[in-house]
Structure formats: C-alpha cells, structure tokens
Amino acid sequence: MKTTKISEAVVRRLPIYLRYLTHLHHMNVKTVSSQKLGDILDINPAQIRKDLAHFGEFGRKGIGYEVDYLIEKIKQILKLDQEIHVALIGVGHLGHAILNYNAYLKENMKIVAAFDVDPQKTGEVVAGTTVYHLDQLGDIIEEKAIRMAIITVPAEAAQEVADRLMQTRIKAILNFAPVNIKARDDVRVHHTDVTTELQSLSYYL
Ligand code: ATP
C-alpha cells in the first residue's frame, strides 16, 4: 500500500465511502463503479477515483471496484481493522447519551471507561461502562490500553481535561465541549459543537 500523506478531506470522505460500501456488502453487491458511488453519495466520480487511487489501483475498467476488497482496504487505512478503546470524560446529559449510544458504535470501537469529578457519579455504571474519578485517568488509560478520548465536560473544564489527557498515551480527542481546545502537534483534536453547527446551518434558512 502506498504511504503518501492523505489529506484531511480524503480522510473525512473515507468513512462515507465505507458506510455505503458496507450497505452494498449487506445487499450482496459484489462490485460498484465510481459513477454509481458518486451518484449515491453526491461526490464527483473523478474525485472518488482520485481518492481511492491514493491506496493503489483497486478499480478495474468496466467492472469497477470490488466491494469487499475496498471495505477491507478502507478499514486498514482508517485503522478500523484494529480494536480501539475509547474513554469518555464528563458523564452529564451528553456523556450519558453517548455512553448509551456506545452499543451502536462500530464493532472495533468501544468506550471502555468513563470519568467524572462528581463523587455522586464515580463508581456508577452507565450503560455497562464504569465511571471512574478523573484522578484515575492515567492509570485506567494504561490499564485498558485506551487510545482515544471523548470530552463531554462543560466548556470551562475542557482545556484542563485535554491537558490531563495529553499527559497520557492519548493521541486523538473528540471534543464536544463548546470551546476550542489547544493541543500539541502530535495530538489530533476534532471538535463537534452542536450549537455552532446549528448557527451556521441557520444561515441557509
Ligand atoms: P448534570 O446535570 O448531570 O451534571 P449536565 O450535562 O448539565 O449534567 P455539565 O455541567 O455539562 O452537566 O457537565 C457534564 C459533566 O461533566 C458532569 O457530570 C460534571 O460533573 C462533569 N465535569 C465537570 N467538570 C469536570 C472535570 N474537570 N473533569 C471531569 N468531569 C467534569
């Protein structure tokens, strides 16, 4: 497999390809053309061919892409062929909702520990996941080989939590707190803020 650096835009499209390819797999479809993928996903087929060409020549003229092979390759590229343990910090309303959603996460990804500072919440088990005190963060992350973290604490606590995460082995953080987190270059942070999403969506009304 080629190991050229993949742009963020491509990395963001790969899960979209994967979701539809998985649907095709369940429909027992064996091959798909970039044209068909493009029509369904509303992405230019030339763009799809270019994206997938990053990883070698998968497509065959006249036949298209082999669905199962492409699924396997995209999973490898996104490291979805490995089991990834996730931690969640902040077991409030949103944290609860995500822990309950845990069961629906893809089979290779699992929230294996939750953390909070509220003594009323620590020791609790939410949707099968134990809530630990934040002071145990480093130890539990090591013990459970956790590689990603989800932050669902209030805005004012988010940077402090991120700073603590950065003292551990965590290199990827999904932040739901409505604040921009500053991180070291070797730590990747993605922000998901429902309010700002709604505000920019509101422009299109
Ligand atoms: P609740 O009313 O149950 O606390 P909420 O969603 O309104 O829910 P928030 O104020 O958004 O609560 O806080 C979310 C969660 O983050 C709470 O459970 C809170 O105890 C926790 N929390 C706050 N500060 C920290 C922190 N520094 N580290 C870890 N968890 C924290």
Side-chain angles (χ1 to χ4, degrees):
M1 197 193 304
K2 290 188 205 168
T3 52
T4 46
K5 201 160 166 31
I6 303 167
S7 78
E8 181 164 349
V10 179
V11 172
R12 288 208 177 261
R13 280 193 293 272
L14 291 178
I16 300 170
Y17 299 148
L18 182 61
R19 186 166 57 194
Y20 183 62
L21 288 162
T22 305
H23 167 74
L24 289 178
H25 167 84
H26 291 308
M27 304 292 285
N28 223 1
V29 175
K30 300 292 179 208
T31 59
V32 64
S33 65
S34 53
Q35 188 67 49
K36 174 90 195 287
L37 276 173
D39 286 349
I40 300 285
L41 302 175
D42 205 12
I43 299 173
N44 185 335
Q47 179 75 67
I48 294 178
R49 287 194 295 276
K50 197 167 157 232
D51 286 354
L52 299 179
H54 277 91
F55 320 114
E57 295 302 321
F58 297 146
R60 278 190 283 153
K61 269 217 157 20
I63 299 174
Y65 296 93
E66 278 182 40
V67 171
D68 287 359
Y69 185 68
L70 203 48
I71 288 175
E72 191 191 319
K73 282 291 167 193
I74 294 177
K75 281 187 171 176
Q76 268 174 23
I77 292 154
L78 294 177
K79 304 188 186 74
L80 302 178
D81 55 343
Q82 310 168 11
E83 188 173 272
I84 298 181
H85 290 174
V86 183
L88 178 136
I89 301 98
V91 190
H93 289 99
L94 184 56
H96 259 99
I98 294 174
L99 288 171
N100 279 301
Y101 185 67
N102 197 16
Y104 302 100
L105 285 180
K106 292 301 165 200
E107 63 275 11
N108 73 306
M109 268 191 218
K110 193 168 189 298
I111 300 171
V112 294
F115 298 88
D116 207 291
V117 283
D118 182 346
Q120 300 249 300
K121 292 181 178 170
T122 54
E124 213 187 327
V125 177
V126 179
T129 307
T130 302
V131 183
Y132 300 92
H133 192 276
L134 193 68
D135 288 346
Q136 290 175 274
L137 191 72
D139 289 345
I140 301 290
I141 283 176
E142 276 306 312
E143 189 187 301
K144 296 191 179 281
I146 295 172
R147 297 174 65 193
M148 296 211 293
I150 300 173
I151 295 182
T152 45
V153 298
E156 59 274 15
Q159 185 65 55
E160 176 211 322
V161 166
D163 289 344
R164 288 177 82 147
L165 284 168
M166 283 188 280
Q167 289 166 17
T168 72
R169 69 212 295 277
I170 297 284
K171 293 281 184 277
I173 297 173
L174 178 58
N175 174 39
F176 280 91
V179 61
N180 242 57
I181 282 177
K182 291 190 182 62
R184 286 198 316 265
D185 286 351
D186 63 330
V187 178
R188 182 84 193 178
V189 182
H190 283 190
H191 294 89
T192 299
D193 179 354
V194 177
T195 308
T196 54
E197 286 294 332
L198 285 173
Q199 284 171 342
S200 44
L201 189 59
S202 156
Y203 171 81
Y204 298 98
L205 289 178

Short mmCIF file of all heavy atoms in Angstrom, two decimals, residues 89-93 96 114-126 130-136 153-154 157 160-161 164:
data_model
loop_
_atom_site.label_atom_id
_atom_site.label_comp_id
_atom_site.label_asym_id
_atom_site.label_seq_id
_atom_site.Cartn_x
_atom_site.Cartn_y
_atom_site.Cartn_z
N ILE A 89 -14.96 11.48 29.03
CA ILE A 89 -14.77 12.29 30.24
C ILE A 89 -15.90 13.31 30.35
O ILE A 89 -16.08 14.15 29.47
CB ILE A 89 -13.40 13.01 30.24
CG1 ILE A 89 -12.28 11.97 30.15
CG2 ILE A 89 -13.21 13.81 31.52
CD1 ILE A 89 -11.74 11.75 28.79
N GLY A 90 -16.66 13.19 31.43
CA GLY A 90 -17.81 14.08 31.68
C GLY A 90 -19.11 13.33 31.48
O GLY A 90 -19.62 13.24 30.37
N VAL A 91 -19.64 12.77 32.58
CA VAL A 91 -20.84 11.93 32.46
C VAL A 91 -22.09 12.74 32.82
O VAL A 91 -22.82 12.41 33.75
CB VAL A 91 -20.69 10.65 33.32
CG1 VAL A 91 -21.81 9.66 33.00
CG2 VAL A 91 -19.33 9.99 33.06
N GLY A 92 -22.30 13.84 32.10
CA GLY A 92 -23.53 14.63 32.25
C GLY A 92 -24.56 14.11 31.26
O GLY A 92 -24.53 12.93 30.90
N HIS A 93 -25.44 14.98 30.80
CA HIS A 93 -26.50 14.54 29.87
C HIS A 93 -25.93 14.01 28.56
O HIS A 93 -26.29 12.94 28.09
CB HIS A 93 -27.47 15.70 29.60
CG HIS A 93 -28.31 16.02 30.80
ND1 HIS A 93 -28.03 17.06 31.65
CD2 HIS A 93 -29.41 15.40 31.29
CE1 HIS A 93 -28.92 17.07 32.62
NE2 HIS A 93 -29.77 16.07 32.44
N HIS A 96 -23.92 10.80 29.07
CA HIS A 96 -24.85 9.68 29.22
C HIS A 96 -25.36 9.21 27.86
O HIS A 96 -25.43 8.01 27.58
CB HIS A 96 -26.07 10.11 30.05
CG HIS A 96 -25.99 9.65 31.46
ND1 HIS A 96 -25.58 10.47 32.48
CD2 HIS A 96 -26.27 8.46 32.03
CE1 HIS A 96 -25.59 9.81 33.62
NE2 HIS A 96 -26.02 8.57 33.37
N ALA A 114 -15.35 5.56 31.65
CA ALA A 114 -15.82 6.94 31.70
C ALA A 114 -15.23 7.59 32.96
O ALA A 114 -14.87 6.89 33.91
CB ALA A 114 -17.34 6.98 31.72
N PHE A 115 -15.13 8.91 32.94
CA PHE A 115 -14.53 9.64 34.06
C PHE A 115 -15.36 10.87 34.40
O PHE A 115 -15.95 11.49 33.50
CB PHE A 115 -13.10 10.08 33.69
CG PHE A 115 -12.18 8.93 33.42
CD1 PHE A 115 -12.09 8.40 32.13
CD2 PHE A 115 -11.43 8.36 34.44
CE1 PHE A 115 -11.26 7.32 31.86
CE2 PHE A 115 -10.60 7.28 34.17
CZ PHE A 115 -10.52 6.76 32.89
N ASP A 116 -15.36 11.22 35.69
CA ASP A 116 -16.05 12.43 36.13
C ASP A 116 -15.39 12.87 37.43
O ASP A 116 -14.61 12.13 38.02
CB ASP A 116 -17.55 12.14 36.33
CG ASP A 116 -18.41 13.38 36.13
OD1 ASP A 116 -18.33 14.30 36.98
OD2 ASP A 116 -19.14 13.46 35.12
N VAL A 117 -15.70 14.11 37.84
CA VAL A 117 -15.16 14.58 39.12
C VAL A 117 -16.22 14.56 40.22
O VAL A 117 -15.90 14.74 41.39
CB VAL A 117 -14.58 16.02 39.02
CG1 VAL A 117 -13.23 16.00 38.34
CG2 VAL A 117 -15.53 16.97 38.32
N ASP A 118 -17.46 14.36 39.82
CA ASP A 118 -18.57 14.38 40.76
C ASP A 118 -18.62 13.06 41.54
O ASP A 118 -18.84 12.00 40.94
CB ASP A 118 -19.86 14.59 39.95
CG ASP A 118 -21.09 14.69 40.83
OD1 ASP A 118 -20.99 14.34 42.03
OD2 ASP A 118 -22.14 15.10 40.32
N PRO A 119 -18.41 13.12 42.86
CA PRO A 119 -18.39 11.88 43.65
C PRO A 119 -19.70 11.09 43.56
O PRO A 119 -19.71 9.88 43.79
CB PRO A 119 -18.13 12.34 45.08
CG PRO A 119 -18.17 13.81 45.08
CD PRO A 119 -18.19 14.31 43.68
N GLN A 120 -20.77 11.77 43.24
CA GLN A 120 -22.07 11.10 43.09
C GLN A 120 -22.07 10.19 41.85
O GLN A 120 -22.88 9.28 41.74
CB GLN A 120 -23.17 12.15 42.88
CG GLN A 120 -23.29 13.12 44.02
CD GLN A 120 -24.58 12.90 44.78
OE1 GLN A 120 -25.64 13.01 44.19
NE2 GLN A 120 -24.47 12.58 46.04
N LYS A 121 -21.21 10.52 40.90
CA LYS A 121 -21.21 9.77 39.63
C LYS A 121 -20.13 8.69 39.59
O LYS A 121 -20.29 7.68 38.90
CB LYS A 121 -21.03 10.73 38.46
CG LYS A 121 -22.26 11.63 38.33
CD LYS A 121 -22.17 12.60 37.19
CE LYS A 121 -23.47 13.39 37.13
NZ LYS A 121 -23.42 14.52 36.22
N THR A 122 -19.04 8.92 40.31
CA THR A 122 -17.96 7.93 40.23
C THR A 122 -18.41 6.64 40.91
O THR A 122 -19.11 6.66 41.92
CB THR A 122 -16.66 8.48 40.86
OG1 THR A 122 -16.95 8.92 42.18
CG2 THR A 122 -16.11 9.64 40.07
N GLY A 123 -18.03 5.55 40.32
CA GLY A 123 -18.44 4.23 40.84
C GLY A 123 -19.71 3.74 40.18
O GLY A 123 -20.01 2.55 40.19
N GLU A 124 -20.43 4.66 39.56
CA GLU A 124 -21.67 4.29 38.86
C GLU A 124 -21.33 3.49 37.59
O GLU A 124 -20.23 3.62 37.05
CB GLU A 124 -22.33 5.62 38.42
CG GLU A 124 -23.84 5.64 38.39
CD GLU A 124 -24.36 6.95 37.78
OE1 GLU A 124 -23.71 8.00 37.96
OE2 GLU A 124 -25.39 6.88 37.12
N VAL A 125 -22.26 2.69 37.13
CA VAL A 125 -22.07 2.01 35.84
C VAL A 125 -23.16 2.54 34.90
O VAL A 125 -24.34 2.44 35.20
CB VAL A 125 -22.17 0.48 35.97
CG1 VAL A 125 -22.05 -0.19 34.60
CG2 VAL A 125 -21.07 -0.04 36.90
N VAL A 126 -22.75 3.17 33.82
CA VAL A 126 -23.70 3.75 32.86
C VAL A 126 -23.65 2.94 31.57
O VAL A 126 -22.60 2.88 30.92
CB VAL A 126 -23.39 5.24 32.58
CG1 VAL A 126 -24.36 5.81 31.57
CG2 VAL A 126 -23.42 6.05 33.87
N THR A 130 -18.11 1.61 33.46
CA THR A 130 -17.84 2.13 34.81
C THR A 130 -17.36 3.58 34.73
O THR A 130 -16.58 3.93 33.85
CB THR A 130 -16.76 1.26 35.50
OG1 THR A 130 -17.24 -0.08 35.53
CG2 THR A 130 -16.46 1.74 36.92
N VAL A 131 -17.85 4.39 35.67
CA VAL A 131 -17.41 5.79 35.76
C VAL A 131 -16.34 5.88 36.87
O VAL A 131 -16.62 5.56 38.02
CB VAL A 131 -18.59 6.73 36.12
CG1 VAL A 131 -18.11 8.19 36.14
CG2 VAL A 131 -19.74 6.55 35.13
N TYR A 132 -15.14 6.27 36.49
CA TYR A 132 -14.04 6.42 37.43
C TYR A 132 -13.85 7.89 37.76
O TYR A 132 -14.28 8.78 37.01
CB TYR A 132 -12.73 5.89 36.81
CG TYR A 132 -12.77 4.44 36.44
CD1 TYR A 132 -13.15 4.04 35.15
CD2 TYR A 132 -12.44 3.45 37.36
CE1 TYR A 132 -13.20 2.70 34.80
CE2 TYR A 132 -12.48 2.11 37.01
CZ TYR A 132 -12.86 1.75 35.74
OH TYR A 132 -12.90 0.42 35.40
N HIS A 133 -13.14 8.15 38.88
CA HIS A 133 -12.81 9.54 39.18
C HIS A 133 -11.68 9.99 38.25
O HIS A 133 -10.81 9.18 37.88
CB HIS A 133 -12.36 9.69 40.64
CG HIS A 133 -12.30 11.14 41.04
ND1 HIS A 133 -11.21 11.93 40.79
CD2 HIS A 133 -13.24 11.94 41.61
CE1 HIS A 133 -11.46 13.17 41.21
NE2 HIS A 133 -12.70 13.20 41.71
N LEU A 134 -11.72 11.27 37.90
CA LEU A 134 -10.72 11.80 36.96
C LEU A 134 -9.28 11.54 37.44
O LEU A 134 -8.37 11.41 36.62
CB LEU A 134 -10.96 13.30 36.74
CG LEU A 134 -10.21 13.94 35.58
CD1 LEU A 134 -10.71 13.42 34.23
CD2 LEU A 134 -10.29 15.45 35.62
N ASP A 135 -9.11 11.47 38.75
CA ASP A 135 -7.77 11.22 39.28
C ASP A 135 -7.20 9.88 38.83
O ASP A 135 -5.99 9.67 38.89
CB ASP A 135 -7.80 11.24 40.83
CG ASP A 135 -7.99 12.65 41.36
OD1 ASP A 135 -7.84 13.61 40.57
OD2 ASP A 135 -8.32 12.79 42.56
N GLN A 136 -8.08 8.98 38.40
CA GLN A 136 -7.61 7.65 37.97
C GLN A 136 -7.32 7.60 36.46
O GLN A 136 -7.03 6.53 35.92
CB GLN A 136 -8.67 6.60 38.31
CG GLN A 136 -8.80 6.32 39.80
CD GLN A 136 -9.96 5.37 40.04
OE1 GLN A 136 -11.11 5.79 40.16
NE2 GLN A 136 -9.66 4.09 40.09
N VAL A 153 -17.30 17.44 28.96
CA VAL A 153 -17.39 18.26 30.18
C VAL A 153 -17.84 19.66 29.77
O VAL A 153 -17.83 20.00 28.58
CB VAL A 153 -16.02 18.33 30.91
CG1 VAL A 153 -15.59 16.94 31.37
CG2 VAL A 153 -14.95 18.96 30.03
N PRO A 154 -18.21 20.53 30.74
CA PRO A 154 -18.56 21.90 30.38
C PRO A 154 -17.35 22.63 29.78
O PRO A 154 -16.20 22.25 30.04
CB PRO A 154 -18.96 22.53 31.71
CG PRO A 154 -19.12 21.43 32.68
CD PRO A 154 -18.34 20.27 32.18
N ALA A 157 -14.15 23.46 31.69
CA ALA A 157 -13.29 22.38 32.18
C ALA A 157 -12.55 21.67 31.04
O ALA A 157 -11.65 20.86 31.29
CB ALA A 157 -14.11 21.37 32.96
N GLU A 160 -8.58 21.94 30.61
CA GLU A 160 -7.90 21.27 31.72
C GLU A 160 -7.95 19.74 31.52
O GLU A 160 -6.96 19.04 31.73
CB GLU A 160 -8.60 21.66 33.02
CG GLU A 160 -8.06 20.99 34.25
CD GLU A 160 -9.15 20.79 35.32
OE1 GLU A 160 -10.00 21.68 35.49
OE2 GLU A 160 -9.14 19.70 35.94
N VAL A 161 -9.10 19.24 31.09
CA VAL A 161 -9.24 17.80 30.85
C VAL A 161 -8.32 17.39 29.70
O VAL A 161 -7.62 16.37 29.77
CB VAL A 161 -10.71 17.43 30.56
CG1 VAL A 161 -10.82 16.03 29.98
CG2 VAL A 161 -11.55 17.55 31.84
N ARG A 164 -4.81 17.13 30.80
CA ARG A 164 -4.56 15.88 31.54
C ARG A 164 -4.47 14.70 30.59
O ARG A 164 -3.63 13.81 30.77
CB ARG A 164 -5.66 15.66 32.58
CG ARG A 164 -5.52 16.63 33.74
CD ARG A 164 -6.62 16.48 34.73
NE ARG A 164 -6.38 15.39 35.67
CZ ARG A 164 -6.78 15.42 36.94
NH1 ARG A 164 -7.40 16.47 37.41
NH2 ARG A 164 -6.57 14.40 37.73
#
